[in-house]
Amino acid sequence: MSVRAVLSNPRALVGASILGFFIVIALLAPVISPYSPNDINFLVGLGPSWKHWLGTTEGGQDILSQLIWGTRTSVSVGLLTGALICLVQLVMGVFAGYVGGLTDTAFAMVTNVFLVLPALPLLIVLSAYLQGSGGSGSTLVLIGVIAITGWAWGARVLRSQSIALRNRPFVEAARISGEGRWHIVLSHIVPNMLGIMVANFFGAALFAVLAEAGLEFIGLGNINTVTWGTMLYWAQNDEATLMGLWLWLLVPGLCILLFGTALGLLNFAIDEIANPNLRRD
């Protein structure tokens, strides 16, 4: 998988452009945000104007400022959770598949258990329990909850690929030369599955963003943190549509849609580039 192949793929270009736009917004939030997202010194329920491009909320906050800072939090949650899920998949799938034996059997059993558990009910139960115990206020806890429910499918795919690669001649040569297990996995196994792992990362990040927004929308996250999900929660809670504040509800939903589209396009593009059978030459 080369940079040229990625740049020549229309899906990858569109997806990377949208993702790059959101990352820039997230990084520059303190600079480009016109106001503090928690500033309540404005008139409530204002429509779009030169002072407030998207209007204000029923609590008196500037919607554009909340959107910008919400982008920072939601994008961070998505990318960090995607990275954490990929790390778990590396251990549970790639390393266990290469080692084999009892280690692989035990890890495969754990993976199968998580595969049959319904992700959405498990997310809701864990989040509700943590909220009741006072632990859901941390964004890191929310990332952990999403990661627990999102790693199994990718781990199973990587495990099967690792089993197929562990008896290849170049892996046997590395083993005979005395290289350690982790060195073999990271130096010889993982590079041959890079396309699948990158696609898994984008898929996991997409799952994380949607899960975070869903949990925040139903009030099972930290509703005092500004994210796309909490914007939707407060818009629904304060009856934004009845008050005519459509942008308060529409814009964060549109951002979730665009961000999910970007990750989905990148996922499909990487899969298409890595899998010769899907290429349209």
Side-chain angles (χ1 to χ4, degrees):
M1 184 176 64
S2 63
V3 176
R4 180 179 299 178
V6 174
L7 294 177
S8 63
N9 188 289
R11 291 180 178 179
L13 282 177
V14 174
S17 299
I18 298 174
L19 179 60
F21 170 77
F22 281 116
I23 291 176
V24 170
I25 294 296
L27 292 175
L28 297 180
V31 178
I32 63 177
S33 177
Y35 309 103
S36 167
N38 298 315
D39 192 343
I40 58 173
N41 295 321
F42 306 111
L43 295 176
V44 302
L46 295 178
S49 64
W50 285 111
K51 186 176 180 180
H52 305 286
W53 289 9
L54 300 178
T56 61
T57 71
E58 280 297 292
Q61 298 102 339
D62 180 67
I63 295 177
L64 177 60
S65 300
Q66 287 208 328
L67 183 70
I68 292 172
W69 282 95
T71 298
R72 189 176 211 187
T73 306
S74 294
V75 169
S76 299
V77 168
L79 298 182
L80 287 175
T81 307
L84 180 58
I85 289 176
C86 285
L87 180 61
V88 176
Q89 290 173 353
L90 175 65
V91 176
M92 300 296 291
V94 180
F95 183 74
Y98 170 74
V99 172
L102 291 176
T103 300
D104 182 39
T105 302
F107 281 27
M109 184 180 301
V110 174
T111 302
N112 291 334
V113 169
F114 276 88
L115 283 173
V116 299
L117 290 175
L120 181 58
L122 182 60
L123 272 170
I124 294 174
V125 169
L126 287 175
S127 297
Y129 171 77
L130 291 170
Q131 184 182 50
S133 62
S136 65
S138 172
T139 302
L140 294 178
V141 172
L142 185 61
I143 290 174
V145 170
I146 298 173
I148 288 173
T149 59
W151 62 270
W153 283 104
R156 185 162 187 168
V157 172
L158 294 177
R159 174 179 174 269
S160 63
Q161 293 294 317
S162 181
I163 292 174
L165 289 170
R166 68 185 181 189
N167 293 322
R168 293 287 184 88
F170 64 91
V171 177
E172 288 286 349
R175 189 182 300 117
I176 293 172
S177 66
E179 295 184 17
R181 287 177 175 177
W182 275 110
H183 186 270
I184 293 176
V185 168
L186 296 177
S187 300
H188 302 285
I189 302 293
V190 170
N192 284 279
M193 296 190 298
L194 190 58
I196 298 176
M197 295 190 70
V198 172
N200 281 355
F201 168 76
F202 288 123
L206 173 58
F207 169 76
V209 169
L210 296 178
E212 180 269 337
L215 291 174
E216 299 281 9
F217 178 69
I218 61 178
L220 290 178
N222 182 4
I223 59 176
N224 295 316
T225 301
V226 180
T227 69
W228 293 335
T230 55
M231 289 185 68
L232 293 175
Y233 169 81
W234 286 113
Q236 183 272 339
N237 190 68
D238 291 341
E239 299 180 339
T241 55
L242 294 179
M243 301 301 295
L245 303 175
W246 290 94
L247 290 177
W248 189 9
L249 189 67
L250 179 63
V251 177
L254 183 61
C255 285
I256 294 172
L257 174 63
L258 287 175
F259 191 74
T261 300
L263 295 177
L265 287 173
L266 286 168
N267 195 343
F268 292 139
I270 296 301
D271 192 28
E272 185 178 281
I273 293 169
N275 188 349
N277 295 324
L278 299 177
R279 294 176 188 169
R280 295 175 295 179
D281 295 330

